[in-house]
Amino acid sequence: MTLRSRFTNQFKNSNLNVALVGAGQMGQGIVSQISKQEKIHLSYIIDRNREKAEEAVARYKKNKLDLPSIETDLTSLDLLDVDVVIEATGSPISGAIVSEFVLNQGIDLILLNVETEATIGLELRKIAQENNCVVTVGHGDEPTAAMELYNFAKDLSFDVISIGKGKNNIFDQFAIPTDLENEANKKKMSSKMLTSFVDGTKTMVEMTALANAIGFTVDKGGMHGPQATYDRLNKIFIPKEKGGILSNQKVVDFAFGIAPGVFTVIYSEDEYVNYEMEYLKMGKGPYWTLYRPYHLTSLEIPRTIMHLAVNKDTILNAKTWNVYVASYAKKDMDKGDKLDSIGGHFYYGLATNKSHQGDYLPVGIAENATLIEPVKKGSPILLNQVEIEQNTIYSMWKDQEEKLL
């Protein structure tokens, strides 16, 4: 049976009820797709921007008559009839508040908010397990699309050497939102979101979430990010002694020139398997590339909803804590400066191995932190150089870090 037929059979006489937090660009896509799904009902749309929420309701109304309620605060709601909550704000702080509230009620949670997962993924797993529910990053984002390739390779007993995503934006770590406003408006997205793509932070966050879900690391801080084509991936992301760029194996990375796809480079030492792979037009071994040339972001979320209902397990959530995203200064900063958010004017992120010496400030807890000493442009921001805002995500991150000691 297909996932859809199993889901439909399970909900023959009822609906699965969903709440959506965040009616921005990703949220609108989710609403469009849910409005076309039988047996899935959108009960609530939660967003502080009522205009965006009303736009989402109008979108939903095109296909369904039983409309969702508009609310501004999830934590004030009685969610007794809600089966799944989707968090799509993109804010680590909001993601932590929503996650803590939802998971402690035993409700399954889908994160489009990879920023939250990359900051407190292990803590979210612990809370979900304690409350007999599931937290997962949703289908459609690069980490989960790559995870499907990883699972496929492992099911076939291949060794996974490297795994990652394509990047299609220009790369400027010092980009700021005021410089990208016109481009963002053309793309109908927020300038901060676009900046997080251009300055590389989003890529670092995504690959960090993937690394911690499968127990991988980064080969170097910030990863390599070479130019590549599909047919070159299995010549680039392999060990140096075999002609590639890697000092280590089992690493996450990214490449320009293959976006919007995801890839994994696999290895086999089996002579007959390698013969078969060549016969099947997979190129020349013993390193091989598995590649998916697309990911459909929020449009794939119905698959995640059905997967949770039928299989009751996570697609992607941290099992290890090998990598985090460290904050680096976009400009010279002075004592007393207050940091803004990801995709802002003050910092960008670099994926960094936990084993690396240096207590750097994770980007997920950097928002609203105040500098207590100057930091030079391009330098890492250290934990002891800031006063961190005492909020939900900081508290959850601190609990997670204490358990890692």
Side-chain angles (χ1 to χ4, degrees):
M1 294 175 74
T2 66
L3 177 61
R4 171 173 289 284
S5 61
R6 290 167 65 201
F7 173 79
T8 304
N9 189 57
Q10 184 173 321
F11 287 88
K12 227 181 266 185
N13 301 312
S14 61
N15 287 324
L16 183 138
N17 295 315
V18 176
L20 171 66
V21 185
Q25 182 184 9
M26 294 296 104
Q28 298 290 333
I30 292 168
V31 170
S32 290
Q33 290 299 78
I34 291 179
S35 74
K36 304 180 184 90
Q37 305 294 322
E38 293 181 8
K39 301 299 180 181
I40 300 177
H41 171 60
L42 187 58
S43 302
Y44 297 102
I45 296 174
I46 299 101
D47 199 300
R48 284 174 294 184
N49 185 330
R50 190 169 183 89
E51 186 178 336
K52 282 288 184 186
E54 288 174 349
E55 180 186 340
V57 170
R59 204 176 297 284
Y60 192 77
K61 192 177 181 180
K62 292 176 182 178
N63 294 297
K64 289 188 178 177
L65 298 176
D66 189 5
L67 302 182
S69 299
I70 293 176
E71 304 289 344
T72 57
D73 178 19
L74 177 80
T75 61
S76 66
L77 299 179
D78 180 352
L79 298 179
L80 283 176
D81 294 330
V82 172
D83 301 294
V84 178
V85 172
I86 305 168
E87 213 292 338
T89 66
S91 160
I93 295 173
S94 297
I97 293 169
V98 170
S99 298
E100 183 180 52
F101 180 73
V102 169
L103 295 176
N104 277 318
Q105 294 192 62
I107 300 170
D108 292 340
L109 176 67
I110 298 171
L111 290 172
L112 267 76
N113 192 335
V114 191
E115 292 81 356
T116 300
E117 166 65 28
T119 308
I120 53 170
L122 272 185
E123 186 69 5
L124 297 181
R125 172 177 283 271
K126 179 186 79 71
I127 297 171
Q129 289 175 339
E130 288 172 351
N131 291 280
N132 195 31
C133 57
V134 178
V135 57
T136 185
V137 176
H139 285 98
D141 218 338
E142 285 104 328
T144 46
M147 188 78 170
E148 291 181 312
L149 295 180
Y150 175 83
N151 290 336
F152 178 79
K154 296 302 287 184
D155 286 347
L156 300 184
S157 299
F158 284 104
D159 293 328
V160 178
I161 305 300
S162 55
I163 189 167
K165 59 163 280 186
K167 180 167 171 50
N168 57 2
N169 299 92
I170 58 169
F171 191 41
D172 177 6
Q173 291 173 324
F174 304 112
I176 57 175
T178 47
D179 292 338
L180 296 172
E181 282 179 359
N182 289 338
E183 185 181 351
N185 288 335
K186 290 176 186 175
K187 293 182 175 181
K188 298 182 180 179
M189 64 192 300
S190 83
S191 57
K192 279 194 172 183
M193 180 183 286
L194 179 58
T195 303
S196 74
F197 295 160
V198 172
D199 70 17
T201 303
K202 188 73 172 181
T203 292
M204 303 295 157
V205 164
E206 291 166 340
M207 293 300 95
T208 291
L210 177 61
N212 289 330
I214 60 179
F216 278 30
T217 59
V218 293
D219 198 44
K220 69 170 192 170
M223 303 179 284
H224 290 282
Q227 288 286 339
T229 54
Y230 162 74
D231 61 318
R232 292 285 302 162
L233 290 170
N234 66 335
K235 298 173 181 64
I236 295 172
F237 290 108
I238 61 175
K240 285 181 179 177
E241 60 267 26
K242 300 299 182 180
I245 63 173
L246 301 181
S247 300
N248 303 284
Q249 299 185 34
K250 296 186 176 181
V251 298
V252 297
D253 217 302
F254 68 98
F256 294 94
I258 61 163
V262 294
F263 70 91
T264 184
V265 175
I266 60 178
Y267 172 79
S268 172
E269 59 183 17
D270 187 302
E271 182 182 339
Y272 192 81
V273 168
N274 289 336
Y275 155 72
E276 287 262 38
M277 292 289 276
E278 288 193 27
Y279 173 77
L280 294 167
K281 310 299 183 186
M282 291 297 291
K284 289 283 185 182
Y287 296 96
W288 313 92
T289 301
L290 301 179
Y291 178 64
R292 176 179 166 179
Y294 63 90
H295 66 284
L296 304 184
T297 62
S298 59
L299 304 183
E300 294 190 39
I301 289 301
R303 290 181 65 211
T304 316
I305 296 170
M306 291 185 281
H307 173 91
L308 283 181
V310 172
N311 299 313
K312 203 66 177 176
D313 64 4
T314 189
I315 298 155
L316 187 148
N317 175 229
K319 296 182 179 68
T320 60
W321 208 250
N322 294 340
V323 184
Y324 71 107
V325 186
S327 302
Y328 281 69
K330 284 188 175 181
K331 61 180 181 178
D332 290 343
M333 296 187 290
D334 297 320
K335 179 181 178 179
D337 282 348
K338 189 172 184 178
L339 304 182
D340 55 3
S341 63
I342 290 172
H345 291 78
F346 285 87
Y347 58 92
Y348 61 91
L350 288 184
T352 305
N353 288 330
K354 282 287 287 184
S355 59
H356 178 76
Q357 293 298 313
D359 292 324
Y360 300 160
L361 173 68
V363 295
I365 60 170
E367 186 172 347
N368 297 327
T370 302
L371 290 177
I372 58 177
E373 59 181 74
V375 178
K376 290 291 185 183
K377 180 179 179 178
S379 298
I381 305 171
L382 305 181
L383 282 165
N384 62 12
Q385 292 177 316
V386 294
E387 287 181 353
I388 301 171
E389 183 179 71
Q390 305 296 299
N391 55 24
T392 300
I393 195 163
Y394 174 65
S395 175
M396 295 174 78
W397 173 83
K398 195 173 177 184
D399 286 346
Q400 175 180 271
E401 291 296 302
E402 288 172 354
K403 293 180 182 75
L404 291 170
L405 296 176

